[in-house]
Amino acid sequence: MHRTSILSLVLASLFAATAAQATPTLIAIGTLGGSADLSGLTGTLENGLAGNVLGGLGSGLAWAGGNTFVATPDRGPNATAYNSQVDDTTSYIARFQTLKLDLAATASGKLPYTLTPTLTATTLLSSASPLVYGSGTAAGLPNGAPVQNSAGVNYFTGRSDNFDASQPSTSPNNARLDPEAVRVSKDGKSVFISDEYGPFVYQFDRATGQRLKTFALPNNLAISTLSAQGAVEIAGNTTGRVTNKGMEGLAISPDGTTLIGIMQASLEQDKNKMVRIVTIDIATGATHEYAYQLTTGSGVSEIVALNNHQFLVDERDGKGLGDGSTAVVKQLFRIDLAGATDVGSLTGSAADQAALKAAAVKKTLVLDLVNVLTANGIAADQIPSKIEGLAFGDDITLDGVLSHTLYVANDNDFVPGLAGDNKIFVFALSDADLGATFTQQQIPEPESLALVLLGLGVMGGLQRRKTGLLQK
């Protein structure tokens, strides 16, 4: 056979394989049950819930190699009213959960794979240096410092009055932390977590949960008038992040050198539904800002890397299960920061806002979650309102096509009765679906890393966390 004929057959075969999976495919759905995590905490929070309550863990989701993932609940249970002076927040200690997400092919069932989530560890987040806690007096509450604090171990919590009013919101001494996204470092030994209160981006030791590093974010993200009540903060600031809409998403480049954070909504000084993206050089701390324009969604919940310059952005509304309505907008867009314009110097002037709009990165729809989930028999009112966590896992072969697994998690706000369980949806996407050549971050195998963490004294750290009672 002539070489040209062989080449034609090969190309035809490749085209047929690609065409076999022309759109992203839902391949599995998993649910993490249970009401308690593995922190070992006892006692109750100010609102009466247990200090080890499990929930909200889809705020952030990160791949940690193999079938191991890390998930972050946000600032804790505050969906049920108990004290408006602190926006119903509590002394819930900030933490991340380690999960095993076992994906297995199946010959039966509506979907080609089954997903079995298992909680394997809970790690509490702390600072070696003292933090600022609220007195609680104005709200009629105890002091905001957890009773678990000890010399060199000062825990971050979700309570909204744990801040220094004399400093900007980005002061690293503030004890209040609202974790919204998480990524694992290249060596697997630490995690990066973004927050809405500051906003902050911190690096924590993965074994002990102790803060290792604070990244200085651009000043235009900070607010100067701080309050335990979000409405007061919003009314008191004309620049900086909007309360409860800080740095919602965080990606890490596959080469492990750069963090890419994205705000949930426009800064106070920005208009036209423009959202800021901030890149951070991990080694030097140098930052750059880029613009992203919302279209149909009311905000951004996550960003995840496709390669070192292209990313998926999770744009959504607040509709769906948990909101008492039907889901409408849960869409993932591809963006490219290569050649994008740095907008860090643009302020709130009309001219700058026009320039900001003109500089917005181009976006292409990759996955409409509502369309795919409803096509698989899931009613729109059963689609979680807060689709927030995104992480790529190990590749699979589906219908003869090399496919990348995308894990999508929800934040149920610790109210499963209203917002449903902690669910994880798994999608298969080819490079053709993504419109990009995907590069997975390389992280040491969890088994070998576990030996390293054990040598660092993780067991002692976990035992230390299990003592004491929470604020009541």
Side-chain angles (χ1 to χ4, degrees):
M1 185 178 292
H2 294 296
R3 288 183 180 178
T4 54
S5 299
I6 296 174
L7 179 60
S8 297
L9 287 173
V10 171
L11 290 175
S13 176
L14 289 174
F15 177 79
T18 301
Q21 186 188 334
T23 58
T25 303
L26 177 68
I27 62 170
I29 302 175
T31 301
L32 180 64
S35 59
D37 64 22
L38 301 178
S39 62
L41 294 170
T42 58
T44 57
L45 302 167
E46 294 92 329
N47 61 2
L49 292 179
N52 64 348
V53 60
L54 180 66
L57 56 80
S59 285
L61 186 67
W63 184 64
N67 66 347
T68 302
F69 290 75
V70 173
T72 44
D74 56 18
R75 59 182 175 171
N78 73 309
T80 303
Y82 89 95
N83 192 318
S84 62
Q85 296 300 305
V86 291
D87 280 350
D88 303 314
T89 58
T90 68
S91 295
Y92 176 85
I93 295 177
R95 64 199 71 183
F96 66 82
Q97 313 284 10
T98 300
L99 310 174
K100 293 289 186 184
L101 300 181
D102 292 314
L103 188 67
T106 178
S108 60
K110 293 182 178 180
L111 300 177
Y113 284 77
T114 59
L115 180 69
T116 306
T118 305
L119 178 65
T120 62
T122 300
T123 306
L124 305 179
L125 303 179
S126 66
S127 166
S129 58
L131 298 172
V132 176
Y133 299 95
S135 68
T137 302
L141 294 172
N143 184 282
V147 297
Q148 290 87 354
N149 283 1
S150 60
V153 182
N154 304 278
Y155 289 109
F156 293 94
T157 87
R159 220 172 85 175
S160 62
D161 61 338
N162 288 339
F163 63 85
D164 184 347
S166 69
Q167 299 295 318
S169 62
T170 48
S171 168
N173 295 325
N174 290 342
R176 65 180 186 177
L177 189 68
D178 186 358
E180 287 295 345
V182 60
R183 297 296 167 197
V184 178
S185 64
K186 185 177 181 178
D187 63 7
K189 297 179 183 179
S190 63
V191 295
F192 302 97
I193 292 178
S194 68
D195 146 277
E196 291 200 298
Y197 274 133
F200 302 112
V201 175
Y202 292 145
Q203 183 176 11
F204 293 93
D205 184 274
R206 190 170 161 198
T208 66
Q210 188 172 91
R211 181 173 62 183
L212 301 174
K213 187 174 182 178
T214 300
F215 293 94
L217 298 180
N219 292 331
N220 60 1
L221 306 183
I223 60 170
S224 56
T225 299
L226 281 66
S227 172
Q229 296 176 284
V232 175
E233 280 195 343
I234 291 173
N237 293 280
T238 57
T239 61
R241 55 93 174 143
V242 175
T243 301
N244 298 330
K245 295 182 178 180
M247 190 159 283
E248 186 80 9
L250 188 68
I252 185 169
S253 59
D255 63 11
T257 65
T258 307
L259 296 171
I260 304 91
I262 190 166
M263 304 298 284
Q264 181 176 346
S266 301
L267 301 178
E268 294 279 10
Q269 66 267 36
D270 289 341
K271 315 296 180 187
N272 302 317
K273 298 177 72 174
M274 303 303 298
V275 174
R276 303 262 179 157
I277 296 171
V278 181
T279 64
I280 307 166
D281 185 290
I282 294 174
T284 68
T287 62
H288 297 280
E289 293 183 55
Y290 304 98
Y292 175 92
Q293 181 161 30
L294 295 169
T295 48
T296 53
S298 58
V300 167
S301 282
E302 187 60 287
I303 185 169
V304 64
L306 296 176
N307 47 56
N308 287 333
H309 60 95
Q310 291 177 296
F311 306 87
L312 285 185
V313 172
D314 173 17
E315 184 174 329
R316 67 168 179 85
D317 60 12
K319 303 297 183 182
L321 184 63
D323 184 60
S325 61
T326 58
V328 179
V329 179
K330 320 289 176 190
Q331 297 177 320
L332 305 186
F333 291 93
R334 183 184 71 250
I335 65 168
D336 194 339
L337 295 185
T341 301
D342 190 324
V343 299
S345 63
L346 300 181
T347 63
S349 70
D352 278 359
Q353 290 300 300
L356 190 68
K357 184 176 179 65
V361 296
K362 301 296 187 291
K363 53 194 285 192
T364 302
L365 181 63
V366 169
L367 173 58
D368 188 314
L369 290 161
V370 175
N371 284 350
V372 175
L373 293 178
T374 54
N376 281 274
I378 301 173
D381 63 358
Q382 295 303 300
I383 297 174
S385 61
K386 291 188 172 183
I387 294 289
E388 297 194 357
L390 299 179
F392 283 98
D394 282 332
D395 288 344
I396 61 171
T397 299
L398 183 65
D399 296 332
V401 179
L402 177 66
S403 299
H404 314 297
T405 56
L406 177 65
Y407 293 70
V408 179
N410 72 306
D411 171 12
N412 71 352
D413 280 336
F414 294 85
V415 284
L418 293 174
D421 296 320
N422 296 296
K423 282 195 176 300
I424 300 170
F425 304 91
V426 187
F427 297 86
L429 302 94
S430 64
D431 280 354
D433 295 327
L434 294 171
T437 300
F438 175 73
T439 303
Q440 180 62 289
Q441 181 187 7
Q442 298 302 306
I443 299 174
E445 285 295 319
E447 290 77 12
S448 60
L449 179 62
L451 296 177
V452 176
L453 296 181
L454 185 62
L456 292 174
V458 61
M459 298 307 293
L462 289 174
Q463 184 64 38
R464 182 190 66 220
R465 295 188 194 100
K466 292 184 178 180
T467 60
L469 296 175
L470 291 173
Q471 297 284 355
K472 294 189 176 181

